[in-house]
Amino acid sequence: MLSRIAPGLCLATTLIATPLAVAAPSAGSMDAATSATVPGAVEAYRWFHANPELSNHEAKTAAHLAAALESLGLTVHRGIGGHGIVAVLRSKTGASKGPVVLYRADMDGLPVKEETGLPYASKNPGVMHACGHDIHMATAIGVMAALQALSDQWHGTVIFVGQPSEEVGSGARAMLRDKRFKKILASTGKPDLAIALHDAADLPAGDVSLIEGFHHANVDSVDIIIHGKGGHGARPHQTIDPIVIGANIVMSLQTIVSRRLRPDDKAVVTVGKFAAGTKHNIIPPSATLLLTVRSYSDETRKTLLAEIRRIAVHLAKAHRAPRPEVIVSKHGIPAAYNDPAWTRRIRTALVATLGEAHVKTHNPSLGGEDFGLFARDLKIPGIMFKLGAVDPKRWKRSGGKGLPGLHSDHWAPAPKATVHTGIRTITAAIVEGLRPR
Ligand SMILES: [Zn+2]
Ligand SMILES: [Zn+2]
């Protein structure tokens, strides 16, 4: 969908076909450079894990990450789109001759009370890095250190983005809208590729997984406010009962995915909240439904939202109620898409780094991830892959079943193996992205 890259490119053909080709770092030098960064990255992980901050409040987190990047000699721009930070690393070999890769890690924690009992558990009551964004930041420190150490062995520019407020879906958009972010991109040139990873509770540490095409969904929130006419529960004929209308709407919404979409088109319409009334014998004047709506393509997204409106408006009309309010949140996030040609290139690089057995594929998720906005907004290909984070021994004992998932109060990645694999794989993926155009 977003590809500007001819399909079928692979590492070997790129090198042969490109007269500009310079020696990329060898496997040996990448191994040495990435391994050297692991102790510092794991220490940073423990700090991030112990000091989580909620979305829109990542001030100390951003400052800690910025300081770590500054200690590598990078210039860090702070306060972009809220608490976002941006660091630019140019190769020593002549950045202007090479590609530009945008690499993003998110920084926010969740309103979860940690129950892991770890010695480095959250010191911030009721807040936890339960999604593993601490892993992402620690990995980023290692990656930027390794790329800095190897910066005489690649051409181009790496733009590191420390993004706030991923969990509330607003951070990527806020950064992209910030004039200072646009100015940085004007100075580096538009990125050729956007790249990120997310830790995974359904893969052992040491493994990664990636898929071509959509990997996260369009996420929309819809409020439906049904206006009826309140009255006595014993005299329903004198009222317009918004609860009965709401119940009709809830049931009819179930037909959108099952009867309006193609059977192979994946989507979800969930009513997460139905609020109305105060007491047994009072028919209330209004009722409210809160929906989450998930899809992959722009077209399906449009269809779902139009059908929801149609059903709500016409069912209210059928019951002689005023036109209901159907409010689609402006904070919806678009689906995230892995460019197929780039996915194949990056997979080749990951297999060369970890071995075939450790590079998996998975089913796309109907979860949300605002990383997709970087690729969509800048009209560039994007790649996101999953990073296994479960202690491999625990994984083996459990057969991968019954383990705490992301957002769980017991989510406890295996720091060293996860961060090490994250640093090795993202470094390899970025180096692949930096191969001459
Ligand atoms: Zn999350
Ligand atoms: Zn997350």
mmCIF file of all heavy atoms in Angstrom, residues 46-66 83-85 106-112 114 121-134 137 163-168:
data_model
loop_
_atom_site.group_PDB
_atom_site.id
_atom_site.type_symbol
_atom_site.label_atom_id
_atom_site.label_comp_id
_atom_site.label_asym_id
_atom_site.label_seq_id
_atom_site.Cartn_x
_atom_site.Cartn_y
_atom_site.Cartn_z
ATOM 1 N N ARG A 46 16.388 -1.611 34.030
ATOM 2 C CA ARG A 46 15.950 -1.701 35.437
ATOM 3 C C ARG A 46 15.483 -0.325 35.934
ATOM 4 O O ARG A 46 14.504 -0.224 36.658
ATOM 5 C CB ARG A 46 17.084 -2.242 36.314
ATOM 6 C CG ARG A 46 17.413 -3.678 35.976
ATOM 7 C CD ARG A 46 17.921 -4.462 37.197
ATOM 8 N NE ARG A 46 18.027 -5.860 36.849
ATOM 9 C CZ ARG A 46 19.159 -6.451 36.469
ATOM 10 N NH1 ARG A 46 20.279 -5.760 36.424
ATOM 11 N NH2 ARG A 46 19.159 -7.729 36.139
ATOM 12 N N TRP A 47 16.197 0.714 35.519
ATOM 13 C CA TRP A 47 15.792 2.066 35.930
ATOM 14 C C TRP A 47 14.417 2.400 35.344
ATOM 15 O O TRP A 47 13.514 2.838 36.065
ATOM 16 C CB TRP A 47 16.826 3.115 35.496
ATOM 17 C CG TRP A 47 16.513 4.455 36.121
ATOM 18 C CD1 TRP A 47 16.979 4.941 37.305
ATOM 19 C CD2 TRP A 47 15.581 5.443 35.627
ATOM 20 N NE1 TRP A 47 16.417 6.166 37.580
ATOM 21 C CE2 TRP A 47 15.552 6.503 36.573
ATOM 22 C CE3 TRP A 47 14.781 5.540 34.491
ATOM 23 C CZ2 TRP A 47 14.763 7.636 36.403
ATOM 24 C CZ3 TRP A 47 13.977 6.672 34.325
ATOM 25 C CH2 TRP A 47 13.974 7.708 35.273
ATOM 26 N N PHE A 48 14.263 2.186 34.042
ATOM 27 C CA PHE A 48 12.970 2.506 33.413
ATOM 28 C C PHE A 48 11.849 1.697 34.075
ATOM 29 O O PHE A 48 10.767 2.204 34.329
ATOM 30 C CB PHE A 48 12.996 2.199 31.904
ATOM 31 C CG PHE A 48 13.822 3.162 31.092
ATOM 32 C CD1 PHE A 48 14.819 2.694 30.230
ATOM 33 C CD2 PHE A 48 13.604 4.531 31.160
ATOM 34 C CE1 PHE A 48 15.579 3.575 29.476
ATOM 35 C CE2 PHE A 48 14.359 5.417 30.403
ATOM 36 C CZ PHE A 48 15.347 4.938 29.562
ATOM 37 N N HIS A 49 12.127 0.415 34.349
ATOM 38 C CA HIS A 49 11.066 -0.422 34.919
ATOM 39 C C HIS A 49 10.660 0.074 36.312
ATOM 40 O O HIS A 49 9.481 0.069 36.654
ATOM 41 C CB HIS A 49 11.487 -1.892 34.984
ATOM 42 C CG HIS A 49 10.319 -2.781 35.319
ATOM 43 N ND1 HIS A 49 9.412 -3.207 34.366
ATOM 44 C CD2 HIS A 49 9.864 -3.244 36.506
ATOM 45 C CE1 HIS A 49 8.451 -3.893 34.954
ATOM 46 N NE2 HIS A 49 8.705 -3.944 36.259
ATOM 47 N N ALA A 50 11.639 0.502 37.078
ATOM 48 C CA ALA A 50 11.359 0.945 38.454
ATOM 49 C C ALA A 50 10.690 2.320 38.492
ATOM 50 O O ALA A 50 10.105 2.690 39.499
ATOM 51 C CB ALA A 50 12.647 0.975 39.261
ATOM 52 N N ASN A 51 10.789 3.076 37.383
ATOM 53 C CA ASN A 51 10.293 4.464 37.385
ATOM 54 C C ASN A 51 9.305 4.730 36.245
ATOM 55 O O ASN A 51 9.508 5.659 35.449
ATOM 56 C CB ASN A 51 11.491 5.423 37.271
ATOM 57 C CG ASN A 51 12.416 5.314 38.474
ATOM 58 O OD1 ASN A 51 12.144 5.880 39.521
ATOM 59 N ND2 ASN A 51 13.497 4.549 38.330
ATOM 60 N N PRO A 52 8.229 3.972 36.177
ATOM 61 C CA PRO A 52 7.289 4.161 35.058
ATOM 62 C C PRO A 52 6.478 5.437 35.222
ATOM 63 O O PRO A 52 6.210 5.870 36.349
ATOM 64 C CB PRO A 52 6.373 2.933 35.172
ATOM 65 C CG PRO A 52 6.364 2.622 36.639
ATOM 66 C CD PRO A 52 7.749 2.957 37.140
ATOM 67 N N GLU A 53 6.097 6.022 34.101
ATOM 68 C CA GLU A 53 5.226 7.202 34.122
ATOM 69 C C GLU A 53 4.086 7.002 33.131
ATOM 70 O O GLU A 53 4.256 6.346 32.104
ATOM 71 C CB GLU A 53 6.027 8.460 33.751
ATOM 72 C CG GLU A 53 7.050 8.842 34.811
ATOM 73 C CD GLU A 53 7.961 9.974 34.360
ATOM 74 O OE1 GLU A 53 8.708 9.781 33.381
ATOM 75 O OE2 GLU A 53 7.910 11.042 34.977
ATOM 76 N N LEU A 54 2.936 7.578 33.464
ATOM 77 C CA LEU A 54 1.752 7.422 32.609
ATOM 78 C C LEU A 54 1.883 8.247 31.324
ATOM 79 O O LEU A 54 2.695 9.177 31.251
ATOM 80 C CB LEU A 54 0.505 7.867 33.366
ATOM 81 C CG LEU A 54 0.068 6.959 34.522
ATOM 82 C CD1 LEU A 54 -1.105 7.596 35.267
ATOM 83 C CD2 LEU A 54 -0.307 5.562 34.027
ATOM 84 N N SER A 55 1.053 7.935 30.352
ATOM 85 C CA SER A 55 0.971 8.690 29.100
ATOM 86 C C SER A 55 0.795 10.176 29.407
ATOM 87 O O SER A 55 0.074 10.534 30.344
ATOM 88 C CB SER A 55 -0.241 8.209 28.297
ATOM 89 O OG SER A 55 -0.235 6.808 28.181
ATOM 90 N N ASN A 56 1.460 11.000 28.630
ATOM 91 C CA ASN A 56 1.449 12.473 28.792
ATOM 92 C C ASN A 56 2.212 12.961 30.021
ATOM 93 O O ASN A 56 2.228 14.153 30.300
ATOM 94 C CB ASN A 56 0.013 13.032 28.854
ATOM 95 C CG ASN A 56 -0.723 12.855 27.551
ATOM 96 O OD1 ASN A 56 -0.150 13.097 26.490
ATOM 97 N ND2 ASN A 56 -1.957 12.397 27.602
ATOM 98 N N HIS A 57 2.811 12.055 30.780
ATOM 99 C CA HIS A 57 3.561 12.453 31.982
ATOM 100 C C HIS A 57 4.978 11.875 31.969
ATOM 101 O O HIS A 57 5.563 11.659 33.028
ATOM 102 C CB HIS A 57 2.822 11.966 33.237
ATOM 103 C CG HIS A 57 1.498 12.632 33.441
ATOM 104 N ND1 HIS A 57 0.338 12.186 32.851
ATOM 105 C CD2 HIS A 57 1.159 13.733 34.146
ATOM 106 C CE1 HIS A 57 -0.665 12.969 33.195
ATOM 107 N NE2 HIS A 57 -0.202 13.924 33.969
ATOM 108 N N GLU A 58 5.562 11.624 30.804
ATOM 109 C CA GLU A 58 6.819 10.883 30.735
ATOM 110 C C GLU A 58 8.050 11.781 30.905
ATOM 111 O O GLU A 58 9.092 11.554 30.292
ATOM 112 C CB GLU A 58 6.923 10.141 29.382
ATOM 113 C CG GLU A 58 5.739 9.280 29.000
ATOM 114 C CD GLU A 58 4.680 10.031 28.202
ATOM 115 O OE1 GLU A 58 4.639 11.278 28.287
ATOM 116 O OE2 GLU A 58 3.903 9.385 27.491
ATOM 117 N N ALA A 59 7.957 12.818 31.754
ATOM 118 C CA ALA A 59 9.026 13.821 31.844
ATOM 119 C C ALA A 59 10.359 13.212 32.290
ATOM 120 O O ALA A 59 11.393 13.403 31.642
ATOM 121 C CB ALA A 59 8.607 14.931 32.800
ATOM 122 N N LYS A 60 10.333 12.466 33.412
ATOM 123 C CA LYS A 60 11.592 11.900 33.933
ATOM 124 C C LYS A 60 12.112 10.801 33.012
ATOM 125 O O LYS A 60 13.313 10.643 32.824
ATOM 126 C CB LYS A 60 11.359 11.335 35.335
ATOM 127 C CG LYS A 60 11.184 12.407 36.386
ATOM 128 C CD LYS A 60 11.005 11.791 37.757
ATOM 129 C CE LYS A 60 10.518 12.848 38.730
ATOM 130 N NZ LYS A 60 9.683 12.296 39.786
ATOM 131 N N THR A 61 11.191 10.028 32.461
ATOM 132 C CA THR A 61 11.565 8.950 31.534
ATOM 133 C C THR A 61 12.304 9.538 30.324
ATOM 134 O O THR A 61 13.382 9.076 29.949
ATOM 135 C CB THR A 61 10.293 8.214 31.050
ATOM 136 O OG1 THR A 61 9.579 7.762 32.196
ATOM 137 C CG2 THR A 61 10.632 7.052 30.152
ATOM 138 N N ALA A 62 11.702 10.575 29.739
ATOM 139 C CA ALA A 62 12.296 11.202 28.556
ATOM 140 C C ALA A 62 13.661 11.809 28.900
ATOM 141 O O ALA A 62 14.615 11.700 28.115
ATOM 142 C CB ALA A 62 11.360 12.278 28.006
ATOM 143 N N ALA A 63 13.748 12.413 30.090
ATOM 144 C CA ALA A 63 15.019 13.030 30.497
ATOM 145 C C ALA A 63 16.100 11.958 30.672
ATOM 146 O O ALA A 63 17.255 12.154 30.260
ATOM 147 C CB ALA A 63 14.828 13.804 31.801
ATOM 148 N N HIS A 64 15.731 10.815 31.250
ATOM 149 C CA HIS A 64 16.700 9.728 31.457
ATOM 150 C C HIS A 64 17.177 9.165 30.115
ATOM 151 O O HIS A 64 18.368 8.949 29.908
ATOM 152 C CB HIS A 64 16.044 8.619 32.294
ATOM 153 C CG HIS A 64 17.014 7.650 32.879
ATOM 154 N ND1 HIS A 64 17.686 7.885 34.059
ATOM 155 C CD2 HIS A 64 17.443 6.432 32.446
ATOM 156 C CE1 HIS A 64 18.487 6.859 34.325
ATOM 157 N NE2 HIS A 64 18.355 5.963 33.359
ATOM 158 N N LEU A 65 16.230 8.971 29.214
ATOM 159 C CA LEU A 65 16.571 8.443 27.884
ATOM 160 C C LEU A 65 17.428 9.453 27.120
ATOM 161 O O LEU A 65 18.440 9.092 26.500
ATOM 162 C CB LEU A 65 15.276 8.119 27.123
ATOM 163 C CG LEU A 65 15.394 7.510 25.727
ATOM 164 C CD1 LEU A 65 16.249 6.247 25.727
ATOM 165 C CD2 LEU A 65 13.998 7.186 25.167
ATOM 166 N N ALA A 66 17.046 10.723 27.187
ATOM 167 C CA ALA A 66 17.803 11.778 26.488
ATOM 168 C C ALA A 66 19.230 11.848 27.025
ATOM 169 O O ALA A 66 20.194 11.945 26.253
ATOM 170 C CB ALA A 66 17.097 13.123 26.648
ATOM 171 N N HIS A 83 6.261 15.132 25.633
ATOM 172 C CA HIS A 83 7.563 14.755 26.185
ATOM 173 C C HIS A 83 8.447 13.997 25.187
ATOM 174 O O HIS A 83 9.424 13.357 25.571
ATOM 175 C CB HIS A 83 7.363 13.901 27.441
ATOM 176 C CG HIS A 83 6.750 14.670 28.580
ATOM 177 N ND1 HIS A 83 7.376 15.750 29.165
ATOM 178 C CD2 HIS A 83 5.569 14.539 29.209
ATOM 179 C CE1 HIS A 83 6.606 16.240 30.127
ATOM 180 N NE2 HIS A 83 5.500 15.537 30.172
ATOM 181 N N GLY A 84 8.108 14.056 23.910
ATOM 182 C CA GLY A 84 8.878 13.316 22.905
ATOM 183 C C GLY A 84 10.294 13.833 22.745
ATOM 184 O O GLY A 84 10.573 15.017 22.972
ATOM 185 N N ILE A 85 11.209 12.939 22.382
ATOM 186 C CA ILE A 85 12.587 13.350 22.104
ATOM 187 C C ILE A 85 13.007 12.809 20.735
ATOM 188 O O ILE A 85 12.482 11.796 20.268
ATOM 189 C CB ILE A 85 13.582 12.857 23.193
ATOM 190 C CG1 ILE A 85 13.629 11.322 23.261
ATOM 191 C CG2 ILE A 85 13.227 13.423 24.556
ATOM 192 C CD1 ILE A 85 14.782 10.807 24.113
ATOM 193 N N ASP A 106 8.633 3.708 22.116
ATOM 194 C CA ASP A 106 7.664 4.441 22.925
ATOM 195 C C ASP A 106 8.047 4.387 24.403
ATOM 196 O O ASP A 106 8.835 3.530 24.826
ATOM 197 C CB ASP A 106 6.228 3.953 22.677
ATOM 198 C CG ASP A 106 6.122 2.438 22.567
ATOM 199 O OD1 ASP A 106 7.122 1.746 22.855
ATOM 200 O OD2 ASP A 106 5.057 1.943 22.191
ATOM 201 N N MET A 107 7.501 5.304 25.204
ATOM 202 C CA MET A 107 8.074 5.545 26.535
ATOM 203 C C MET A 107 7.092 5.432 27.692
ATOM 204 O O MET A 107 7.516 5.486 28.842
ATOM 205 C CB MET A 107 8.664 6.969 26.576
ATOM 206 C CG MET A 107 9.648 7.292 25.476
ATOM 207 S SD MET A 107 10.539 8.840 25.778
ATOM 208 C CE MET A 107 9.232 10.030 25.593
ATOM 209 N N ASP A 108 5.786 5.325 27.435
ATOM 210 C CA ASP A 108 4.826 5.434 28.542
ATOM 211 C C ASP A 108 4.505 4.106 29.226
ATOM 212 O O ASP A 108 4.566 3.043 28.629
ATOM 213 C CB ASP A 108 3.522 6.111 28.084
ATOM 214 C CG ASP A 108 2.957 5.557 26.775
ATOM 215 O OD1 ASP A 108 3.700 4.920 26.025
ATOM 216 O OD2 ASP A 108 1.754 5.768 26.519
ATOM 217 N N GLY A 109 4.152 4.218 30.514
ATOM 218 C CA GLY A 109 3.686 3.074 31.293
ATOM 219 C C GLY A 109 2.164 3.060 31.361
ATOM 220 O O GLY A 109 1.487 3.840 30.679
ATOM 221 N N LEU A 110 1.627 2.183 32.209
ATOM 222 C CA LEU A 110 0.171 1.977 32.287
ATOM 223 C C LEU A 110 -0.327 2.113 33.722
ATOM 224 O O LEU A 110 0.426 1.861 34.673
ATOM 225 C CB LEU A 110 -0.160 0.563 31.797
ATOM 226 C CG LEU A 110 -0.120 0.337 30.281
ATOM 227 C CD1 LEU A 110 -0.024 -1.151 29.982
ATOM 228 C CD2 LEU A 110 -1.344 0.929 29.618
ATOM 229 N N PRO A 111 -1.616 2.453 33.889
ATOM 230 C CA PRO A 111 -2.189 2.501 35.238
ATOM 231 C C PRO A 111 -2.467 1.096 35.779
ATOM 232 O O PRO A 111 -3.605 0.674 35.889
ATOM 233 C CB PRO A 111 -3.483 3.303 35.032
ATOM 234 C CG PRO A 111 -3.841 3.094 33.599
ATOM 235 C CD PRO A 111 -2.567 2.880 32.851
ATOM 236 N N VAL A 112 -1.400 0.362 36.082
ATOM 237 C CA VAL A 112 -1.487 -1.020 36.578
ATOM 238 C C VAL A 112 -0.646 -1.108 37.843
ATOM 239 O O VAL A 112 0.480 -0.587 37.878
ATOM 240 C CB VAL A 112 -0.931 -2.012 35.514
ATOM 241 C CG1 VAL A 112 -0.846 -3.436 36.079
ATOM 242 C CG2 VAL A 112 -1.790 -2.001 34.253
ATOM 243 N N GLU A 114 1.753 -3.030 39.964
ATOM 244 C CA GLU A 114 2.661 -4.150 39.680
ATOM 245 C C GLU A 114 2.613 -5.210 40.778
ATOM 246 O O GLU A 114 2.650 -4.893 41.957
ATOM 247 C CB GLU A 114 4.095 -3.623 39.510
ATOM 248 C CG GLU A 114 5.084 -4.746 39.210
ATOM 249 C CD GLU A 114 6.378 -4.268 38.565
ATOM 250 O OE1 GLU A 114 6.504 -3.065 38.280
ATOM 251 O OE2 GLU A 114 7.255 -5.124 38.340
ATOM 252 N N ALA A 121 10.997 -3.725 40.808
ATOM 253 C CA ALA A 121 9.577 -3.429 40.510
ATOM 254 C C ALA A 121 9.302 -1.927 40.616
ATOM 255 O O ALA A 121 10.092 -1.176 41.200
ATOM 256 C CB ALA A 121 8.672 -4.191 41.463
ATOM 257 N N SER A 122 8.164 -1.508 40.085
ATOM 258 C CA SER A 122 7.796 -0.090 40.041
ATOM 259 C C SER A 122 7.819 0.560 41.420
ATOM 260 O O SER A 122 7.271 0.028 42.386
ATOM 261 C CB SER A 122 6.387 0.037 39.449
ATOM 262 O OG SER A 122 5.938 1.368 39.589
ATOM 263 N N LYS A 123 8.437 1.734 41.459
ATOM 264 C CA LYS A 123 8.439 2.533 42.702
ATOM 265 C C LYS A 123 7.333 3.585 42.654
ATOM 266 O O LYS A 123 7.193 4.381 43.564
ATOM 267 C CB LYS A 123 9.794 3.233 42.857
ATOM 268 C CG LYS A 123 10.945 2.256 43.136
ATOM 269 C CD LYS A 123 12.198 2.999 43.552
ATOM 270 C CE LYS A 123 13.023 3.383 42.361
ATOM 271 N NZ LYS A 123 14.349 3.915 42.652
ATOM 272 N N ASN A 124 6.593 3.579 41.559
ATOM 273 C CA ASN A 124 5.551 4.581 41.356
ATOM 274 C C ASN A 124 4.197 3.888 41.550
ATOM 275 O O ASN A 124 3.736 3.161 40.659
ATOM 276 C CB ASN A 124 5.695 5.147 39.933
ATOM 277 C CG ASN A 124 4.854 6.374 39.715
ATOM 278 O OD1 ASN A 124 4.072 6.761 40.586
ATOM 279 N ND2 ASN A 124 4.998 6.986 38.561
ATOM 280 N N PRO A 125 3.540 4.069 42.708
ATOM 281 C CA PRO A 125 2.339 3.289 43.026
ATOM 282 C C PRO A 125 1.261 3.379 41.939
ATOM 283 O O PRO A 125 0.933 4.477 41.488
ATOM 284 C CB PRO A 125 1.841 3.905 44.343
ATOM 285 C CG PRO A 125 3.001 4.652 44.888
ATOM 286 C CD PRO A 125 3.852 5.069 43.723
ATOM 287 N N GLY A 126 0.755 2.219 41.561
ATOM 288 C CA GLY A 126 -0.347 2.184 40.596
ATOM 289 C C GLY A 126 0.074 2.401 39.154
ATOM 290 O O GLY A 126 -0.777 2.486 38.261
ATOM 291 N N VAL A 127 1.366 2.510 38.903
ATOM 292 C CA VAL A 127 1.853 2.697 37.525
ATOM 293 C C VAL A 127 2.896 1.617 37.247
ATOM 294 O O VAL A 127 3.719 1.310 38.105
ATOM 295 C CB VAL A 127 2.481 4.096 37.323
ATOM 296 C CG1 VAL A 127 2.852 4.312 35.857
ATOM 297 C CG2 VAL A 127 1.534 5.185 37.786
ATOM 298 N N MET A 128 2.826 1.048 36.061
ATOM 299 C CA MET A 128 3.738 -0.067 35.733
ATOM 300 C C MET A 128 4.069 -0.066 34.246
ATOM 301 O O MET A 128 3.221 0.252 33.413
ATOM 302 C CB MET A 128 3.050 -1.395 36.104
ATOM 303 C CG MET A 128 3.861 -2.627 35.766
ATOM 304 S SD MET A 128 2.928 -4.145 36.120
ATOM 305 C CE MET A 128 4.073 -5.359 35.455
ATOM 306 N N HIS A 129 5.292 -0.462 33.930
ATOM 307 C CA HIS A 129 5.634 -0.708 32.527
ATOM 308 C C HIS A 129 5.106 -2.086 32.154
ATOM 309 O O HIS A 129 5.855 -3.030 31.940
ATOM 310 C CB HIS A 129 7.143 -0.607 32.301
ATOM 311 C CG HIS A 129 7.570 0.761 31.870
ATOM 312 N ND1 HIS A 129 7.090 1.357 30.720
ATOM 313 C CD2 HIS A 129 8.398 1.657 32.437
ATOM 314 C CE1 HIS A 129 7.614 2.569 30.603
ATOM 315 N NE2 HIS A 129 8.410 2.785 31.631
ATOM 316 N N ALA A 130 3.791 -2.212 32.091
ATOM 317 C CA ALA A 130 3.161 -3.515 31.846
ATOM 318 C C ALA A 130 3.075 -3.843 30.356
ATOM 319 O O ALA A 130 2.646 -4.930 29.997
ATOM 320 C CB ALA A 130 1.772 -3.530 32.478
ATOM 321 N N CYS A 131 3.466 -2.891 29.501
ATOM 322 C CA CYS A 131 3.458 -3.172 28.062
ATOM 323 C C CYS A 131 4.885 -3.363 27.544
ATOM 324 O O CYS A 131 5.092 -3.661 26.368
ATOM 325 C CB CYS A 131 2.755 -2.051 27.293
ATOM 326 S SG CYS A 131 2.136 -2.568 25.681
ATOM 327 N N GLY A 132 5.866 -3.155 28.422
ATOM 328 C CA GLY A 132 7.253 -3.392 28.016
ATOM 329 C C GLY A 132 7.900 -2.257 27.254
ATOM 330 O O GLY A 132 8.903 -2.447 26.565
ATOM 331 N N HIS A 133 7.367 -1.034 27.376
ATOM 332 C CA HIS A 133 8.011 0.088 26.684
ATOM 333 C C HIS A 133 9.380 0.381 27.299
ATOM 334 O O HIS A 133 10.231 1.007 26.660
ATOM 335 C CB HIS A 133 7.100 1.322 26.695
ATOM 336 C CG HIS A 133 5.790 1.102 25.986
ATOM 337 N ND1 HIS A 133 4.816 2.050 25.876
ATOM 338 C CD2 HIS A 133 5.303 -0.001 25.338
ATOM 339 C CE1 HIS A 133 3.786 1.563 25.193
ATOM 340 N NE2 HIS A 133 4.052 0.312 24.878
ATOM 341 N N ASP A 134 9.595 -0.116 28.535
ATOM 342 C CA ASP A 134 10.932 -0.035 29.147
ATOM 343 C C ASP A 134 11.947 -0.869 28.356
ATOM 344 O O ASP A 134 13.099 -0.471 28.181
ATOM 345 C CB ASP A 134 10.882 -0.462 30.621
ATOM 346 C CG ASP A 134 10.080 -1.744 30.856
ATOM 347 O OD1 ASP A 134 9.535 -2.326 29.877
ATOM 348 O OD2 ASP A 134 9.989 -2.172 32.022
ATOM 349 N N MET A 137 12.891 1.172 25.243
ATOM 350 C CA MET A 137 13.839 2.275 25.487
ATOM 351 C C MET A 137 15.239 1.746 25.771
ATOM 352 O O MET A 137 16.239 2.285 25.278
ATOM 353 C CB MET A 137 13.347 3.134 26.658
ATOM 354 C CG MET A 137 12.108 3.939 26.324
ATOM 355 S SD MET A 137 11.612 5.006 27.688
ATOM 356 C CE MET A 137 10.769 3.858 28.758
ATOM 357 N N GLN A 163 9.005 8.250 21.661
ATOM 358 C CA GLN A 163 7.617 8.740 21.544
ATOM 359 C C GLN A 163 6.832 8.605 22.853
ATOM 360 O O GLN A 163 6.807 7.542 23.448
ATOM 361 C CB GLN A 163 6.895 7.941 20.448
ATOM 362 C CG GLN A 163 5.494 8.472 20.171
ATOM 363 C CD GLN A 163 4.555 7.407 19.655
ATOM 364 O OE1 GLN A 163 4.827 6.811 18.619
ATOM 365 N NE2 GLN A 163 3.459 7.167 20.376
ATOM 366 N N PRO A 164 6.166 9.668 23.264
ATOM 367 C CA PRO A 164 5.296 9.572 24.440
ATOM 368 C C PRO A 164 3.909 9.041 24.055
ATOM 369 O O PRO A 164 3.593 8.906 22.867
ATOM 370 C CB PRO A 164 5.187 11.038 24.883
ATOM 371 C CG PRO A 164 5.281 11.811 23.607
ATOM 372 C CD PRO A 164 6.204 11.021 22.695
ATOM 373 N N SER A 165 3.100 8.752 25.064
ATOM 374 C CA SER A 165 1.641 8.599 24.920
ATOM 375 C C SER A 165 1.188 7.633 23.832
ATOM 376 O O SER A 165 0.241 7.913 23.109
ATOM 377 C CB SER A 165 1.012 9.986 24.654
ATOM 378 O OG SER A 165 1.421 10.879 25.655
ATOM 379 N N GLU A 166 1.876 6.502 23.735
ATOM 380 C CA GLU A 166 1.406 5.482 22.788
ATOM 381 C C GLU A 166 0.134 4.828 23.296
ATOM 382 O O GLU A 166 -0.782 4.536 22.525
ATOM 383 C CB GLU A 166 2.491 4.418 22.565
ATOM 384 C CG GLU A 166 2.153 3.414 21.458
ATOM 385 C CD GLU A 166 1.208 2.300 21.881
ATOM 386 O OE1 GLU A 166 1.221 1.913 23.069
ATOM 387 O OE2 GLU A 166 0.443 1.803 21.034
ATOM 388 N N GLU A 167 0.076 4.597 24.610
ATOM 389 C CA GLU A 167 -1.059 3.851 25.163
ATOM 390 C C GLU A 167 -2.387 4.588 24.998
ATOM 391 O O GLU A 167 -3.434 3.967 25.034
ATOM 392 C CB GLU A 167 -0.819 3.534 26.651
ATOM 393 C CG GLU A 167 0.336 2.567 26.902
ATOM 394 C CD GLU A 167 0.034 1.141 26.446
ATOM 395 O OE1 GLU A 167 -1.101 0.871 26.031
ATOM 396 O OE2 GLU A 167 0.955 0.309 26.493
ATOM 397 N N VAL A 168 -2.331 5.892 24.846
ATOM 398 C CA VAL A 168 -3.570 6.641 24.618
ATOM 399 C C VAL A 168 -3.699 7.051 23.144
ATOM 400 O O VAL A 168 -4.632 7.769 22.764
ATOM 401 C CB VAL A 168 -3.676 7.881 25.549
ATOM 402 C CG1 VAL A 168 -3.834 7.439 26.993
ATOM 403 C CG2 VAL A 168 -2.461 8.795 25.413
#
